[in-house]
Amino acid sequence: MDVSICLQSDPLGLNAAPAEGGDGNLGNGQRKRRSSEEQGAGPNSFKRTKVEPTTPISPSTPGVKPWSSAPDEKQVPTTTPTTPSPAPAPYRPAVIYWDLDVQTNAVIRERSAANHLPSHPEIELQRAQLVTKLRQHYHELCHQREGIDPPRESFNRWLLERKVIDKGLDPLLPSECEPAVSPSMFREVMNDIPIRLSRIKYKEEARKLLFKYAEAAKRMIDSRNASPESRKVVKWNAEDTMNWLRRDHSASKEDYMDRLEHLRQQCGPHVTAVAKDSVEGICSKIYQLSAEYSRRLRQTHLSLLQDPSTETCASPPQSRLVYCYPVRLAIPTPALPRVELHFENDVACLRFKGEMVKVNRGHFSKLELLYRYSCIDDPRFEKFLARVWCLLKRYQAMFGSGANEGFGLQGALPVTVFEALNRQFGVTFECFASPLNCYFKQFCSAFPDIDGFFGSRGPFLSFSPVSGSFEANPPFCEELMDAMVTHFEELLDQSSEPLSFIVFVPEWRDPVTPALTRMEASRFLRHQLNIPAYEHEYRSGSQHICKRDEMYYRAVHGTAMLFLQNDAGFVKWAPTPERLAELTTAYRPSLSRTSSLSSPGPAQSAAGDRDSTPKASDRTPSGMMSPGGHDNNNNNNGSSSSSPQDKLTAM
């Protein structure tokens, strides 16, 4: 078989055997050119059967193979001129969590190229370092000013909430927001003052929590500039609680929880008043540092590009309707530095300047396919490894470095649900995804400057389809979900073409989220399904690196599935009973797999346990993650209602 065919099916040479000789230190482009030159030696040249590996090797270790060889690799006989070696088979993942063959039905108006600065490993490394530094500042400020740990995932939700309103130029660091004090960060830090009220299961835990809250509230009011009235109220209630604890040892868990709720109601407003200025100072300081880091990073980026073309591209001469296509950048990408690649078992490891990022080999092959389908400026894959490194580093910086931190932002629907959505409702597009967790090759994502090379159509709030069928499973940030609903309403109101959004959001009722309330009252709502907690599952946000037995986890909250459609969309993709039955069945946990038993998020209370006071801060992305077992006997079809009026009446 001709080597040119091999290179087309495997442009990175991932399946080629490492060649002997002195070419170990050549980069991707050099190796591909060498291969092309050898092909030009003549149609009968035996050099055509020699496929050069495209994986760079570190210059400090010349001659070392780019990945570990199998023990029996040494016994492979040398290829002879009379027996040309067969073409290597493409890498086939054992399990595939995507279908990149589905073509889009999403139609948009033709748009001009975007003026984002192209990603670069040097800049991405600096950005990751600055984000890590910003996280450390946040941790220190919470400790120094309030004596608490930062609320779990609150920094990640701050990034999401800020980017909803940010008009700055950095893809990750907020720099131009109004107001400067984030409502999300302020709310979450304030909810943990004077102490974090964790979920509890046992009587002794409730007793200790009540004592700690009374002690912390009294200590805080003594150390702050509080009014005499506030001091009097907090001290009296704290001392009364401590006296009650000393004399009553027969109280139940419910008694302790009732007393804690009463204490919070009495002391909470006074504690909030004395902490308000300090917490606002934390939020303001973090935002100011982020804006400064963003400005500094952009200056470095512009100097690295040397002479970027910054003029704005003119809009297309005709506002034609076209099928959606990936984001294109107006500014060309310069030559990128070399990124090293090697494999450790089934994990691809990419290294740049000592910084390593990892992705399993199945998702690495997925990124290769997405790049081939979407990228138009790198047909020889010379920038592929550098861009994959930038992609992984960007999401790593956004997630954070804590154990299982941030992966709730990337949770995805099961494959069976996507298949049912595509078959029954014509869904071909994800409104909130990434190259790492997408099921279709057309999707919206957070970072157009790097995700666009892998198929992203840009951020959903900037994406304006005219027609098509879409799935929306947003990160569980209240501000982002609220902005999403506003965008849905505008798109559905403006288009007369078939347009449908099937939305998956947590069914939070205590208190209910504005986004859910607005969708349930929307004139575009055609149907709603409510899937009970523990009776459905999600794919892990760490699917690109986690083990197969950790791929799925049970949802510890109910999920509301809402069908928002204009009239034409309802006619074409109506949520009929037959279609809904298949979709509901697809959402049930599979008997052939086991949901994860370990929770990446905070510990959850068992069913029936009384929470320590439900509050908005408990509704975190990681709060979806369940430590629950795999019990398939309790599954049902969920509750269903067909109109907003019916649901509002039931409420």
Side-chain angles (χ1 to χ4, degrees), residues 70-123:
D72 58 346
E73 189 173 344
K74 296 179 181 178
Q75 279 75 45
V76 177
T78 305
T79 303
T80 62
T82 57
T83 57
S85 59
Y91 176 77
R92 302 289 184 187
V95 182
I96 296 177
Y97 301 98
W98 51 86
D99 186 350
L100 305 184
D101 294 328
V102 175
Q103 300 302 313
T104 187
N105 58 20
V107 175
I108 62 173
R109 296 200 177 275
E110 195 171 10
R111 55 188 180 181
S112 58
N115 283 293
H116 307 293
L117 298 184
S119 57
H120 192 286
E122 290 279 2
I123 300 302

Side-chain angles (χ1 to χ4, degrees), residues 16-270:
E20 299 177 0
D23 296 333
N25 294 322
L26 294 180
N28 270 1
Q30 292 170 298
R31 293 176 187 276
K32 287 179 180 285
R33 284 191 290 273
R34 176 71 60 85
S35 180
S36 300
E37 290 164 3
E38 289 169 353
Q39 292 181 43
N44 299 318
S45 172
F46 294 122
K47 289 185 178 180
R48 297 173 64 204
T49 62
K50 181 179 178 181
V51 181
E52 296 285 349
T54 61
T55 307
I57 302 173
S58 171
S60 61
T61 55
V64 178
K65 290 187 177 182
W67 56 82
S68 57
S69 305
D72 58 346
E73 189 173 344
K74 296 179 181 178
Q75 279 75 45
V76 177
T78 305
T79 303
T80 62
T82 57
T83 57
S85 59
Y91 176 77
R92 302 289 184 187
V95 182
I96 296 177
Y97 301 98
W98 51 86
D99 186 350
L100 305 184
D101 294 328
V102 175
Q103 300 302 313
T104 187
N105 58 20
V107 175
I108 62 173
R109 296 200 177 275
E110 195 171 10
R111 55 188 180 181
S112 58
N115 283 293
H116 307 293
L117 298 184
S119 57
H120 192 286
E122 290 279 2
I123 300 302
E124 214 53 58
L125 180 58
Q126 292 184 41
R127 180 178 286 113
Q129 292 169 345
L130 290 173
V131 172
T132 299
K133 189 176 179 180
L134 196 60
R135 288 179 184 273
Q136 291 171 347
H137 278 300
Y138 178 47
H139 190 276
E140 291 168 0
L141 286 170
C142 287
H143 263 283
Q144 292 169 2
R145 298 193 180 189
E146 301 302 333
I148 62 171
D149 288 329
R152 180 179 171 82
E153 302 277 6
S154 59
F155 186 89
N156 296 334
R157 281 188 294 279
W158 174 77
L159 288 175
L160 287 172
E161 179 264 329
R162 295 280 85 182
K163 296 310 287 186
V164 171
I165 60 173
D166 186 32
K167 298 179 181 178
L169 298 175
D170 191 87
L172 184 57
L173 290 165
S175 59
E176 196 174 330
C177 303
E178 185 62 38
V181 175
S182 160
S184 170
M185 181 179 283
F186 178 84
R187 180 176 63 244
E188 294 198 47
V189 174
M190 196 65 80
N191 278 335
D192 279 8
I193 293 174
I195 63 170
R196 173 168 176 75
L197 298 179
S198 58
R199 296 175 184 267
I200 58 97
K201 293 183 179 181
Y202 306 109
K203 169 184 171 180
E204 283 307 311
E205 291 177 340
R207 178 184 174 86
K208 289 179 181 177
L209 194 65
L210 176 58
F211 179 81
K212 287 182 178 178
Y213 187 93
E215 187 179 49
K218 184 175 181 295
R219 184 172 58 248
M220 183 175 183
I221 212 74
D222 284 338
S223 62
R224 302 292 178 93
N225 186 22
S227 67
E229 180 64 21
S230 293
R231 291 182 189 276
K232 178 181 176 181
V233 171
V234 173
K235 282 187 176 182
W236 187 90
N237 280 278
E239 290 172 359
D240 181 61
T241 299
M242 291 177 181
N243 290 333
W244 180 79
L245 286 170
R246 293 188 190 102
R247 56 172 195 269
D248 193 343
H249 298 284
S250 61
S252 65
K253 171 191 164 185
E254 286 70 25
D255 293 334
Y256 290 128
M257 298 310 301
D258 287 339
R259 190 83 188 199
L260 177 59
E261 181 60 25
H262 173 75
L263 186 62
R264 287 190 69 209
Q265 289 177 355
Q266 296 298 313
C267 299
H270 303 283

Side-chain angles (χ1 to χ4, degrees), residues 397-441:
M398 184 178 76
F399 291 161
S401 57
N404 299 307
E405 184 180 6
F407 290 132
L409 303 175
Q410 285 273 101
L413 301 178
V415 169
T416 52
V417 175
F418 274 116
E419 291 172 342
L421 288 172
N422 177 247
R423 277 195 309 269
Q424 298 299 325
F425 299 97
V427 172
T428 65
F429 193 106
E430 297 164 76
C431 297
F432 298 91
S434 77
L436 299 173
N437 75 347
C438 65
Y439 177 81
F440 303 113
K441 66 175 180 285

Side-chain angles (χ1 to χ4, degrees), residues 506-513 516-517 520 528-530 559-560 562 614 619 639 641 647-648 651:
E507 193 184 5
W508 289 333
R509 298 288 182 185
D510 190 15
V512 67
T513 58
L516 183 55
T517 300
E520 289 182 329
Q528 178 174 345
L529 283 173
N530 296 322
T559 293
L562 303 104
R619 306 186 309 209
S639 59
S641 59
K647 288 185 294 298
L648 291 173
M651 292 169 59

Side-chain angles (χ1 to χ4, degrees), residues 308-347:
S309 174
T310 56
E311 66 271 8
T312 303
C313 294
S315 299
Q318 297 178 351
S319 185
R320 299 183 301 171
L321 292 177
V322 297
Y323 286 109
C324 68
Y325 54 90
V327 171
R328 307 298 185 206
L329 300 186
I331 302 173
T333 303
L336 298 178
R338 187 175 67 180
V339 169
E340 300 170 18
L341 168 70
H342 71 277
F343 290 91
E344 296 176 358
N345 297 321
D346 237 15
V347 176

